[in-house]
Amino acid sequence: MCLFLTIGGSAQNRNQVDQLAKLAKVWGFLKYYHSAASGSPDWDKALLELIPEAINRPSHFETHLFRWYQGLPVETYSPIPTQSRGDSVYHIFTVKNIRTFGLKSEFTRQLTRLFTHHLPAPSVYVTDTYKGYSLDFLLNMEEGFEESYPSTELRLLALFRFWNIINYQYPHKNQLPLDWDRVLKKYIPYFIFMRLNRRKFIVWPFNTYWRKWRITIRFIKRLISC
């Protein structure tokens, strides 16, 4: 795959970052809210195939992404809205967040319906039981990748996994002293052009940045398997 992306580069490069960020958000949303979250399709494989499209054809990527979405298994909807309302209900993610994806109106409308009428289904990523005990939620471990030097696609997969876990599952996301959407766009180029060490994979700028908030990411393999 040929990469034409440079950190802080031209409008074309910024468009590539925008499309990769859009992909990360849509992919993470569907991974947690689509009724096919039981493992089919293979969400990681789908992402790895979509990343080159976002980088090499950013101007047409949203159309490609929408067609991919329409080709997924048919969603199962609740006949009535399932998202709780009320001042006493705390939401990590809301319809307003979907509007920040930057998608065209029809795509936004369909994802909004999927969210507001979400029908919980068995998921390979999230569960509410562990050894017979009921919990609010529990993140399942995801498959890692045994590669000495992870490819660009795998590095971005690692970033997108981590970013989406915080975006959809971390209860204190809205109290973070930073704009989580801006974090995603800022670090996409770093994960493409990350510095590799023979013995360990250090995401050096991300590691330095998060040390301020006592969250340290040292190894790309650990992030991939989180």
Side-chain angles (χ1 to χ4, degrees), residues 45-169:
K45 180 180 178 181
L47 179 68
L48 296 177
E49 293 173 351
L50 287 166
I51 286 173
E53 292 289 333
I55 294 176
N56 295 324
R57 286 173 283 277
S59 299
H60 306 285
F61 179 67
E62 185 174 336
T63 299
H64 180 80
L65 183 63
F66 187 49
R67 289 175 180 169
W68 168 75
Y69 167 69
Q70 291 181 312
L72 293 174
V74 178
E75 301 97 327
T76 302
Y77 295 102
S78 167
I80 59 175
T82 57
Q83 297 300 323
S84 301
R85 296 182 179 181
D87 295 338
S88 62
V89 179
Y90 179 79
H91 294 280
I92 301 172
F93 185 85
T94 69
V95 170
K96 292 181 180 179
N97 296 106
I98 298 177
R99 296 173 188 152
T100 68
F101 288 5
L103 302 170
K104 294 179 180 179
S105 58
E106 179 57 22
F107 204 170
T108 299
R109 185 191 68 79
Q110 292 192 27
L111 294 187
T112 298
R113 184 190 176 203
L114 181 59
F115 176 71
T116 57
H117 291 71
H118 172 61
L119 192 62
S123 171
V124 298
Y125 303 109
V126 182
T127 182
D128 60 358
T129 58
Y130 178 72
K131 294 184 177 180
Y133 295 96
S134 296
L135 306 170
D136 289 336
F137 73 90
L138 182 69
L139 296 173
N140 290 329
M141 295 293 289
E142 297 188 40
E143 181 182 359
F145 297 90
E146 295 298 329
E147 290 198 12
S148 298
Y149 294 94
S151 65
T152 299
E153 292 89 343
L154 288 180
R155 296 198 299 270
L156 288 174
L157 168 61
L159 172 63
F160 294 174
R161 277 183 177 180
F162 178 79
W163 187 88
N164 279 295
I165 288 173
I166 301 298
N167 195 51
Y168 293 103
Q169 309 296 340

Side-chain angles (χ1 to χ4, degrees), residues 204-222:
W204 57 270
F206 204 65
N207 189 40
T208 301
Y209 183 78
W210 274 100
R211 191 177 292 118
K212 297 178 182 179
W213 318 115
R214 298 182 181 181
I215 300 178
T216 303
I217 303 171
R218 295 187 180 279
F219 307 111
I220 194 72
K221 285 188 175 180
R222 181 180 303 174

Side-chain angles (χ1 to χ4, degrees), residues 5-6 12-22 184-186 188-189:
L5 188 64
T6 57
Q12 168 73 3
N13 298 331
R14 289 194 295 272
N15 191 23
Q16 290 171 314
V17 171
D18 288 344
Q19 298 309 311
L20 285 168
K22 190 177 296 183
L184 176 62
K185 285 189 177 183
K186 180 174 182 178
I188 284 174

